[in-house]
């Protein structure tokens, strides 16, 4: 297999001790869990190998950025958000869940 982006997220079922791999359009770099529901949020952006073949040295691809709401019990994406590179923002590791504004 050719080295590339992971493009998936793993869901560990603690009751059965089994892991399910959920395919996504990009590698998930950061996750945050919901404080009460069995869901989590994964944010992602596409990357590209700097030498155009080896992902050991990668950089931002500046294509799309994503946020996924994932149902851990059902092992599926419930909702998602995607933005193109023209959006003047960048997803990073600062993920916060809030009931208020």
């Amino acid at each position: 297999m050719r080295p590339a982006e992971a493009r998936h997220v793993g869901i560990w079922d603690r009751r059965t001790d089994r892991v399910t791999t959920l395919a996504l359009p990009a590698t998930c770099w950061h996750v945050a869990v919901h404080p009460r529901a069995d869901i989590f949020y994964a944010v992602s952006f596409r990357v590209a190998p700097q030498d155009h073949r080896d992902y050991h040295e990668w950089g931002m691809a500046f294509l799309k950025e994503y946020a996924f709401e994932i149902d851990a019990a059902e092992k599926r994406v419930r909702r998602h958000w995607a933005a193109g590179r023209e959006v003047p923002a960048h997803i990073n590791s600062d993920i916060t869940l809030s009931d208020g504004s």
Side-chain angles (χ1 to χ4, degrees), residues 2 9 12 21 39 54 58 88 93 101:
R2 187 175 148 242
V9 66
W12 174 39
T21 302
I39 59 177
D54 184 359
W58 61 268
S93 60
S101 52

Side-chain angles (χ1 to χ4, degrees), residues 12-18 38 73:
W12 174 39
D13 186 325
R14 294 180 0 181
R15 286 183 292 251
T16 64
D17 198 29
R18 291 186 177 220
D38 197 9

Side-chain angles (χ1 to χ4, degrees), residues 11 22 38-40 69-78:
I11 302 170
L22 183 61
D38 197 9
I39 59 177
F40 65 96
E69 180 180 73
I70 299 172
D71 186 314
E74 295 184 20
K75 298 168 182 59
R76 68 178 182 88
V77 175
R78 291 173 46 158

Side-chain angles (χ1 to χ4, degrees), residues 19-86:
V19 174
T20 300
T21 302
L22 183 61
L24 297 170
T27 300
C28 283
W29 299 101
H30 308 284
V31 297
V33 296
H34 191 281
R36 293 174 296 283
D38 197 9
I39 59 177
F40 65 96
Y41 300 88
V43 297
S44 181
F45 52 85
R46 297 293 306 274
V47 300
Q50 290 183 6
D51 64 359
H52 303 287
R53 63 176 217 284
D54 184 359
Y55 276 84
H56 176 72
E57 296 290 335
W58 61 268
M60 283 287 302
F62 295 106
L63 298 171
K64 284 191 177 181
E65 300 192 44
Y66 304 89
F68 303 98
E69 180 180 73
I70 299 172
D71 186 314
E74 295 184 20
K75 298 168 182 59
R76 68 178 182 88
V77 175
R78 291 173 46 158
R79 300 184 296 167
H80 75 279
W81 169 87
R85 67 199 223 167
E86 64 278 355

